[in-house]
Amino acid sequence: MSVNMKTTMNTEKKRILVVDNLASDTRMVKLYLERTNDYVVREENDARAALSAAEQFQPHLILLDVMMPGMDGGELAACFQANPKWNAVPIVFLTAAVTKGEVEAGRGWVAGYPFLAKPIVLSEVLACLKHHLGG
């Protein structure tokens, strides 16, 4: 019985919060990641609502667009970083605000954060999640 409990703990799906004002982008990422059977994904298309969504969902990683109406991704990231509950949760920006060349030049990092440039390449998103979450 303890073997089964250990197996269950090791196979817990990682929770990913995807925040982007484009519902088509969040839906595409959600469907792709959940198809791997390794992730549970919550979509949020409003930056302000993402704060309460994080509280309820308890994500292991946040995929975050930069350019959003109302509160941009940088402001939202600052809110997550300021909260002791969330400051250890990795944030990966998934955005058109940088080019693939800029991301490659920084080896995936821009301004101290991991970045993936749009257009979204789902295999890159998956590789990034595995890198930042292990496995």
Side-chain angles (χ1 to χ4, degrees):
M1 188 157 201
S2 65
V3 172
N4 287 342
M5 288 176 65
K6 185 176 181 181
T7 302
T8 301
M9 287 173 41
N10 289 340
T11 59
E12 176 190 0
K13 293 182 181 182
K14 298 293 184 182
R15 293 178 303 279
I16 310 300
L17 176 60
V18 183
V19 184
D20 192 315
N21 60 299
L22 297 176
S24 58
D25 285 356
T26 59
R27 173 56 72 190
M28 178 177 57
V29 170
K30 176 183 174 67
L31 292 173
Y32 180 79
L33 291 178
E34 287 188 343
R35 204 171 65 220
T36 69
N37 211 27
D38 293 327
Y39 304 98
V40 175
V41 179
R42 177 155 176 182
E43 301 172 75
E44 215 31 87
N45 301 115
D46 178 89
R48 293 189 194 288
L51 294 169
S52 60
E55 189 69 37
Q56 296 166 353
F57 187 60
Q58 304 283 314
H60 292 104
L61 185 139
I62 300 166
L63 284 172
L64 182 56
D65 189 18
V66 172
M67 297 181 294
M68 295 183 287
M71 176 187 284
D72 70 28
E75 293 170 315
L76 183 54
C79 290
F80 284 124
Q81 295 280 302
N83 186 327
K85 283 195 225 177
W86 307 117
N87 62 8
V89 174
I91 295 172
V92 176
F93 285 101
L94 181 60
T95 184
V98 295
T99 66
K100 291 200 181 281
E102 289 171 320
V103 170
E104 288 170 12
R107 293 197 164 102
W109 292 78
V110 178
Y113 284 99
F115 268 76
L116 292 173
K118 288 182 179 181
I120 295 171
V121 177
L122 294 169
S123 59
E124 289 176 4
V125 172
L126 184 59
C128 181
L129 293 184
K130 288 183 180 209
H131 173 77
H132 290 285
L133 294 172

